[in-house]
Amino acid sequence: MADRSDPERAETEEHGILDEERVDTSGIFLGGSTAQVDVTLPVPADDDDSIDEDFDETSGPAHIAADYGMPLHTDTAEAEIIDDVDETPVDAEHATHVYDTHANDTHAYDTHANDTDTHDADIEDAVEEAREDAVADREDEPTAPAERVAVPVAQPVRAVEPSPVAFDVTLASKRLGELEVSREGADVLTADRLLDPHHVTKVEPEGFWQSALYRASGTLINLGDSKKARERKELSRRIAAPLPGGARFVPVLSRKGGVGKTTVTTLLGMALADARDDRVIAVDANPDRGTLAERIARTSGKTIRDLVRIKDEVVGYNDLSTIVARDETRLDVLASDADPRVSEAFGDDDYRAAAEVAAHYYSVVLTDTGTGIVHSVMSATLERADSLVVVAGLSIDEARLASETLTWLETNGYGDRVRNAVVVLNTTRPGSPLVRADEVEAHFRTRVRSVIRMPYDSHIASGAAIGFHEIHPATREAARQLAAAVVESLRVPATV
């Protein structure tokens, strides 16, 4: 047996070479055939080699947080961290390495904790104190292999879900002037501001003196339009007022022939079409051979019967324009049948079919009715009526018939139409009438909305085609007044 003090033996033991005194070699046969034998090596109770495994099982807080995918519980106090120290003794050098790794992991977690808005101040204080205690213990104790150092380890804790960030944003609309004081909107870019007045052609005022002074001053003095011009423009504005909704129907009634019902229908339609931008049509629904188409210069040769025949084939205004006739004011006229035997068959169903087509392409539909107030066509006409025009002559019988017409309408369910109606006192004979026109007008004003006087015009009395801009100015002005009154009755219906 070799001496233990032998240096070679000590070196051999240091490098792990087995000592024959520590190994039971009994039963080993060294000569002849070899055989497999079991060798049992004694293991010390305190094996230093297990410290890495022990530490891995109880790794630092950064490893624990990373493995479990949750933040470190920041409310753990310093005393709790020290109490949970793993009591497994380790080599001082190895423990220092492990602790430095733990400290680096803790620093990495601190960075993560700052990103997630956790209690980073508490974590830094706890880690720093634990590090100082561990370094102090390492300096005080010897560095022999048998010495052991306690490593602080934090225990895994319950994951704390980060609370969602709430954004309290109030959206409010502001006016343009509230955003910036110096900021301007598009509404300030007007023609008066942007256009150079020295290069803009001004509108010459209407009126003899106004126009003369404007020209004499080199367009520097503009007194504006004359009173007559202002009244004319205001009347045009009233006629051209928009009519919301669908087509409006206005029948022109009279129980006595010869009072100028067709003439009034023609003048009313021309005044409307001349001042308005939308379409206006006058329909001759007189079953006794009406003459409405003869009051305009242009004719189409087609009648209302033709429209009823092709009503299902009309798909656009072009199809309708081949049947109606149009005059210079853009008034369209739908003529009645010229043959009395054919026109006698024209009834309420035919009128409804024609009115249905006209309603798709016109804003205002005037209807020249017959004298038979109880005729079936009259009932169909009144069904669609939005306003009424009643024509009366300046004679006793003509005035009475017109008043009786209003009474019949009131007693047959058209009282609201009567109160919103317009009565035209038409002068069909030259000279002064025998009846007092003021008294007739005062009577009808108690029953209807408006009363318009139509003066005598020799051009119209001749029975020729009417040229709206060729008739007497007073007649044209009366027709425009009638058109304005009708538009106002359509815009503001009377209450029942």
Side-chain angles (χ1 to χ4, degrees):
M1 181 177 299
D3 188 2
R4 289 183 178 270
S5 62
D6 189 355
E8 296 180 0
R9 179 180 179 84
E11 182 180 357
T12 301
E13 291 180 354
E14 181 179 359
H15 290 81
I17 301 176
L18 298 178
D19 190 350
E20 63 271 17
E21 292 182 0
R22 298 175 59 188
V23 179
D24 186 4
T25 60
S26 61
I28 301 177
F29 182 70
L30 301 179
S33 303
T34 59
Q36 182 177 356
V37 296
D38 295 332
V39 178
T40 303
L41 299 179
V43 181
D46 298 332
D47 188 3
D48 295 341
D49 294 336
S50 62
I51 184 61
D52 293 339
E53 299 176 357
D54 296 339
F55 186 80
D56 291 339
E57 295 174 357
T58 58
S59 58
H63 295 292
I64 295 172
D67 292 341
Y68 284 86
M70 54 188 172
L72 183 66
H73 185 59
T74 58
D75 295 335
T76 304
E78 174 187 357
E80 296 177 348
I81 295 177
I82 300 302
D83 291 341
D84 294 332
V85 172
D86 188 351
E87 296 299 332
T88 304
V90 298
D91 183 89
E93 182 178 357
H94 181 70
T96 302
H97 170 72
V98 172
Y99 182 79
D100 292 340
T101 303
H102 163 70
N104 292 334
D105 293 340
T106 304
H107 175 72
Y109 180 76
D110 291 342
T111 304
H112 171 71
N114 291 333
D115 295 339
T116 57
D117 197 20
T118 57
H119 304 287
D120 50 355
D122 296 340
I123 295 176
E124 293 178 359
D125 295 340
V127 173
E128 185 63 25
E129 293 180 6
R131 180 183 298 173
E132 293 175 358
D133 293 343
V135 173
D137 293 342
R138 184 176 60 184
E139 293 176 353
D140 295 339
E141 296 183 3
T143 59
E147 299 297 330
R148 311 181 189 282
V149 178
V151 180
V153 179
Q155 298 296 327
V157 295
R158 178 178 59 86
V160 179
E161 294 292 337
S163 59
V165 181
F167 296 93
D168 187 10
V169 180
T170 302
L171 300 179
S173 61
K174 293 184 178 181
R175 295 183 179 274
L176 191 61
E178 298 177 358
L179 298 177
E180 297 181 12
V181 177
S182 60
R183 184 176 178 180
E184 295 182 349
D187 54 344
V188 301
L189 300 178
T190 60
D192 295 337
R193 177 182 178 182
L194 300 181
L195 297 180
D196 188 353
H198 300 286
H199 296 83
V200 177
T201 302
K202 299 180 181 179
V203 179
E204 183 176 346
E206 295 186 22
F208 177 78
W209 294 110
Q210 289 82 356
S211 178
L213 182 60
Y214 179 78
R215 294 179 181 181
S217 64
T219 70
L220 296 178
I221 302 177
N222 190 340
L223 300 179
D225 297 331
S226 63
K227 180 180 178 181
K228 184 177 181 181
R230 291 195 303 268
E231 292 176 349
R232 178 179 56 79
K233 292 181 179 180
E234 174 61 20
L235 185 58
S236 298
R237 186 194 63 80
R238 292 169 55 193
I239 300 173
L243 295 174
R248 305 301 181 92
F249 286 80
V250 182
V252 181
L253 310 176
S254 176
R255 291 185 62 184
K256 188 178 187 305
V259 296
K261 176 175 53 61
T262 300
T263 300
V264 170
T265 303
T266 305
L267 292 175
L268 173 60
M270 289 180 174
L272 289 171
D274 186 61
R276 299 184 62 84
D277 295 330
D278 47 13
R279 298 193 186 108
V280 181
I281 187 173
V283 180
D284 193 343
N286 191 339
D288 299 326
R289 206 303 193 169
T291 60
L292 180 63
E294 298 175 4
R295 305 301 280 172
I296 62 174
R298 304 172 186 175
T299 60
S300 64
K302 302 294 182 62
T303 65
I304 191 172
R305 178 71 62 184
D306 297 316
L307 177 60
V308 174
R309 188 179 300 112
I310 67 167
K311 62 182 180 61
D312 296 331
E313 302 175 7
V314 177
V315 295
Y317 179 74
N318 290 335
D319 299 329
L320 188 61
S321 62
T322 60
I323 299 177
V324 300
R326 170 169 288 196
D327 82 323
E328 59 181 3
T329 62
R330 299 182 305 109
L331 171 66
D332 288 349
V333 175
L334 184 59
S336 63
D337 289 317
D339 190 347
R341 294 172 298 179
V342 177
S343 62
E344 192 65 33
F346 184 78
D348 53 349
D349 292 338
D350 296 328
Y351 175 81
R352 291 188 181 96
E356 188 67 25
V357 176
H360 283 81
Y361 303 102
Y362 295 93
S363 297
V364 180
V365 180
L366 305 178
T367 305
D368 183 12
T369 64
T371 56
I373 198 171
V374 295
H375 196 276
S376 61
V377 178
M378 181 65 71
S379 62
T381 303
L382 294 176
E383 288 176 1
R384 280 186 168 268
D386 296 295
S387 182
L388 298 176
V389 175
V390 179
V391 181
L394 290 180
S395 64
I396 297 176
D397 60 338
E398 293 172 346
R400 285 181 175 177
L401 283 176
S403 183
E404 291 176 358
T405 301
L406 296 178
T407 303
W408 184 92
L409 292 171
E410 290 174 342
T411 57
N412 285 271
Y414 302 102
D416 57 333
R417 308 294 199 282
V418 171
R419 286 186 289 272
N420 203 35
V422 179
V423 171
V424 179
L425 301 180
N426 187 32
T427 305
T428 58
R429 291 177 290 272
S432 298
L434 296 178
V435 299
R436 292 184 292 182
D438 294 340
E439 292 295 328
V440 177
E441 180 179 347
H443 165 76
F444 284 109
R445 286 192 179 277
T446 63
R447 309 192 63 178
V448 298
R449 179 184 183 90
S450 303
V451 178
I452 304 296
R453 292 190 189 184
M454 189 68 64
Y456 173 79
D457 193 309
S458 58
H459 178 75
I460 296 176
S462 65
I466 299 175
F468 188 68
H469 298 287
E470 298 174 0
I471 60 178
H472 196 277
T475 306
R476 184 168 56 250
E477 179 68 14
R480 286 167 51 83
Q481 291 286 349
L482 172 60
V486 170
V487 170
E488 290 174 355
S489 68
L490 295 173
R491 288 173 54 85
V492 187
T495 56
V496 180

